Amino acid sequence: MTALLLALEGGLVMVPVAASAAGSDMRPAMNCGVRLLAGLGGPGSNAIAASSNGLVVGITDTAAGGSAPVLWRDGQPTPLAIPLQAVAPTSVNQSGVVVGTGYDDTHEVLVGWWWQDGVYHQLPVSPGDIALPSMVSDSGVVVGALISDEEHSDGPGADENERPAVWSSVTAAPSDLGLPSGAEGGHAFAIGADGTIGGVALADGGTPVLWTQAGTPRTLPTIAGRGGVVLGIDSAGQALGQSAVPGGTHAVAWDVQGRINDLGAAAAGPDSGAVAGVSGVSVGTGSKPSFRASRPQAVMWAGKSVSILPPGSDGKFTGVSGSATSVSRQGATTVVVGFSAAANGLRRATEWSCQ
């Protein structure tokens, strides 16, 4: 489960849908300005998620040679004081509530946390459980997973199945979400404005799932029957994610009736995935063949068109690839965040503003 989820959160997973919407001649997005977000004196950074009103969370290298979780407001970073190691923020809402994970080296355990207005808190869990929050909604509901804190030679919880879970607020005890028949575990990655939750259930492979507010699961179709995952729910209630196809993955969308739409293998490579959207626009990642392997490219789907969001550059950094992780509407502007990557793999947090 852990290896699969790392692949999912990295942007590319094996999962299925129908005909490709993009070809090798895909053009850069038009009318999109790009800027690299300021860091904390170190060379690299990554924008992981954004709120509906433009707050951005991520990680940036520091001048001292370490790294720190940050919250960007109007492009300016504020470090988050989280008393843990390997801190990874995963989501932020319009009220500035940030959720994520980190490692408590004193007690040798992974910890799920939330932060607001400079104050850190642990997410509530039952004794023996570990919280893995993935998203916090604007109404303060948190979705993610729970895993048992069992002692193993390869780390706490290493041999346990994750259980999809929801917290009705950051101070409430979590509730397990139901699993489809035959599933052994799962993870919730997204929550829509109406309280619908999206994610994956695991048995022999990944099954895309939507849960009602009551926690009842509904499985969604995939393209070729090989598995899939819901990674986002847009402002119109459409579920977004990936579906496996022979040789790769395609970004897909499921409408409110659960019908699947293949968004295609974007950027000319074999893999793509959609992770976030607003009505009419979805964003995510596609792969583009390069000399040694493939490079990720930030992708935007708008209606029936698909385009690459150009990587950012400045006097010290030249982006050649990238990935989009969140999108929001700020007035008439569609704002996308993610990262640009240089040829040596260095990443810089990036914001695209499209008219």
Side-chain angles (χ1 to χ4, degrees):
M1 181 66 176
T2 302
L4 175 60
L5 290 177
L6 287 175
L8 294 179
E9 291 174 351
L12 299 174
V13 192
M14 291 298 293
V15 268
V17 247
S20 173
S24 59
D25 59 347
M26 196 168 73
R27 297 180 179 179
M30 303 299 291
N31 300 319
C32 288
V34 55
R35 69 166 174 167
L36 301 174
L37 297 178
L40 296 176
S45 58
N46 187 7
I48 295 171
S51 69
S52 59
N53 59 346
L55 302 177
V56 180
V57 290
I59 297 174
T60 182
D61 295 334
T62 65
S67 64
V70 293
L71 172 68
W72 282 276
R73 296 178 185 268
D74 299 321
Q76 298 304 308
T78 298
L80 306 184
I82 308 294
L84 300 169
Q85 302 297 314
V87 175
T90 56
S91 181
V92 60
N93 71 7
Q94 65 181 7
S95 299
V97 176
V98 182
V99 297
T101 60
Y103 186 72
D104 181 345
D105 56 358
T106 300
H107 299 94
E108 298 183 340
V109 66
L110 191 65
V111 173
W113 52 265
W114 66 280
W115 177 100
Q116 186 179 29
D117 297 331
V119 182
Y120 156 86
H121 313 264
Q122 291 189 13
L123 267 179
V125 290
S126 299
D129 277 344
I130 295 170
L132 303 174
S134 291
M135 182 177 177
V136 57
S137 72
D138 282 342
S139 60
V141 178
V142 178
V143 298
L146 297 166
I147 190 168
S148 297
D149 179 17
E150 301 291 345
E151 293 296 334
H152 301 281
S153 60
D154 47 0
D159 299 330
E160 305 300 319
N161 288 321
E162 294 180 8
R163 297 145 27 217
V166 58
W167 290 255
S168 60
S169 73
V170 290
T171 58
S175 299
D176 283 63
L177 297 169
L179 287 171
S181 177
E184 299 172 351
H187 198 113
F189 290 107
I191 182 168
D194 66 351
T196 299
I197 297 167
V200 66
L202 294 180
D204 294 331
T207 300
V209 177
L210 291 177
W211 288 273
T212 66
Q213 291 187 52
T216 303
R218 173 170 65 113
T219 61
L220 297 174
T222 57
I223 297 177
R226 300 185 179 197
V229 58
V230 176
L231 297 171
I233 300 176
D234 71 16
S235 57
Q238 178 177 244
L240 305 167
Q242 292 172 303
S243 184
V245 296
T249 66
H250 280 193
V252 295
W254 294 270
D255 65 20
V256 293
Q257 284 78 39
R259 294 171 297 198
I260 193 168
N261 176 35
D262 183 1
L263 300 180
D271 299 293
S272 66
V275 298
V278 292
S279 182
V281 174
S282 303
V283 300
T285 304
S287 62
K288 183 177 182 179
S290 65
F291 174 67
R292 294 187 180 274
S294 63
R295 287 174 172 165
Q297 295 292 336
V299 177
M300 180 170 65
W301 293 267
K304 295 183 178 181
S305 67
V306 56
S307 52
I308 291 177
L309 294 166
S313 298
D314 62 16
K316 299 180 179 179
F317 175 90
T318 301
V320 298
S321 63
S323 179
T325 56
S326 290
V327 60
S328 63
R329 284 257 166 73
Q330 308 300 318
T333 302
T334 299
V335 178
V336 183
V337 301
F339 69 82
S340 301
N344 64 0
L346 179 67
R347 295 180 177 184
R348 288 283 303 275
T350 304
E351 179 184 88
W352 295 269
S353 297
C354 304
Q355 303 299 320

